[in-house]
Amino acid sequence: MNLSDSQTAGSVPRRVSAMEAVLGHLRGAIERGEYAVGDKLPSEAELCRRLEVSRPVLRESLRALQTMGLTVSRTGKGTFVVSNGPVDDPTFGDYAASDLLEVRRHVEIPVAGYAAVRRTPEDLDHLAHLLDRMEGETDTTAWVAMDTLFHLAVAQAAQNPVFRRVIEEIRDALARQSAFLNELGGRREQSNREHRAIVEALIDGSEHDATEAMAHHLDRVETTLTEIVRPERTDHTDPPTESPTAPPTEGGPQA
């Protein structure tokens, strides 16, 4: 079974990453009871052999299963199923998604407003350069690293060191959440557009537009997370079908 090159179902097919295909297959198997609560998943080597994917792709998929609350990894023992359905509130690092989003709304929205009226020319140059790099980046890991830098740069532009310290505190969780959403939700291009709207508002010096742009960005983060964890269509009976025409890929999803 080769899951390295798949497409989603629907009227407009979207190429999915190998990681997303493997996750969908394993998640479906757990939800159907093929792997019951308490069961140990096959070894990484065995799963790689069965699914014909690399170990890094498999490990990303296993991490996503843990984020969803479906499995736990026990050092030296393997990965075990702990639930047959994803939790409503996944965890990213030390923080639950709901807690993370609540703090981000209370901090990053007003921070964007402060940044619009306090930013310096150097702040704008830095943000514009960072955004240009993000828009040209195709590697998910590199993009995620710049995503966290972008939000730190907005906080820096607000000219209050406490704001930056708060974002620094949740930086690891932000990176984990960003990787999760980009691998499974194809968020990269949409995020780039939302980031561009934030930067344009900062350039214009519009406090209102900056807070609106950041609020919209966080709304889309929440919506995508909900769609991944509680999709309207939950029929995972069959794994994604292999595309007969496109070359295999193990990169991030293409929006």
Side-chain angles (χ1 to χ4, degrees):
M1 180 186 299
N2 189 332
L3 298 184
S4 64
D5 182 29
S6 305
Q7 291 184 339
T8 57
S11 57
V12 181
R14 175 178 67 83
R15 180 81 60 78
V16 300
S17 67
M19 177 270 196
E20 186 175 354
V22 171
L23 174 62
H25 175 70
L26 293 175
R27 176 179 177 177
I30 291 171
E31 291 179 347
R32 293 192 300 271
E34 294 175 21
Y35 298 117
V37 173
D39 283 354
K40 178 183 175 182
L41 294 184
S43 68
E44 289 186 3
E46 176 63 17
L47 286 172
C48 287
R49 185 190 67 78
R50 290 185 190 179
L51 304 178
E52 301 181 35
V53 294
S54 68
R55 188 156 292 194
V57 166
L58 179 68
R59 286 177 174 171
E60 285 295 324
S61 304
L62 293 177
R63 277 194 284 270
L65 286 176
Q66 291 184 64
T67 297
M68 290 181 170
L70 294 171
T71 64
V72 295
S73 178
R74 296 170 184 160
T75 304
K77 295 183 179 180
T79 299
F80 294 82
V81 178
V82 294
S83 173
N84 60 6
V87 296
D88 288 340
D89 196 10
T91 299
F92 297 103
D94 295 331
Y95 304 110
S98 62
D99 292 339
L100 188 62
L101 187 62
E102 181 177 49
V103 168
R104 294 188 70 184
R105 288 189 183 283
H106 282 284
V107 175
E108 291 196 82
I109 292 175
V111 159
Y114 288 128
V117 297
R118 298 175 181 174
R119 82 290 186 275
T120 66
E122 291 75 20
D123 291 326
L124 295 179
D125 286 345
H126 176 54
L127 281 163
H129 177 66
L130 188 57
L131 187 56
D132 286 342
R133 290 177 57 198
M134 294 177 73
E135 291 176 340
E137 183 58 66
T138 58
D139 179 75
T140 296
T141 300
W143 189 94
V144 165
M146 288 187 283
D147 186 23
T148 58
L149 289 175
F150 177 86
H151 288 275
L152 281 169
V154 174
Q156 180 68 34
Q159 310 302 326
N160 183 329
V162 180
F163 287 141
R164 182 180 173 90
R165 180 64 65 87
V166 171
I167 304 302
E168 284 279 10
E169 167 61 28
I170 62 174
R171 183 175 183 175
D172 178 67
L174 290 179
R176 290 170 184 259
Q177 184 184 70
S178 179
F180 184 79
L181 295 178
N182 280 282
E183 287 284 9
L184 301 181
R187 275 275 302 160
R188 189 186 305 149
E189 290 188 9
Q190 187 179 55
S191 290
N192 285 338
R193 290 193 294 270
E194 293 158 12
H195 288 160
R196 175 65 66 182
I198 293 169
V199 171
E200 289 176 351
L202 298 188
I203 292 172
D204 292 341
S206 173
E207 181 177 2
H208 175 269
D209 289 351
T211 56
E212 287 291 308
M214 184 64 78
H216 174 69
H217 178 53
L218 297 181
D219 284 344
R220 296 306 305 159
V221 166
E222 181 177 22
T223 297
T224 304
L225 182 62
T226 300
E227 289 172 348
I228 293 170
V229 176
R230 298 189 296 276
E232 292 181 1
R233 178 179 178 276
T234 57
D235 179 13
H236 297 285
T237 301
D238 299 313
T241 56
E242 184 176 354
S243 167
T245 58
T249 177
E250 290 182 1
Q254 298 177 10

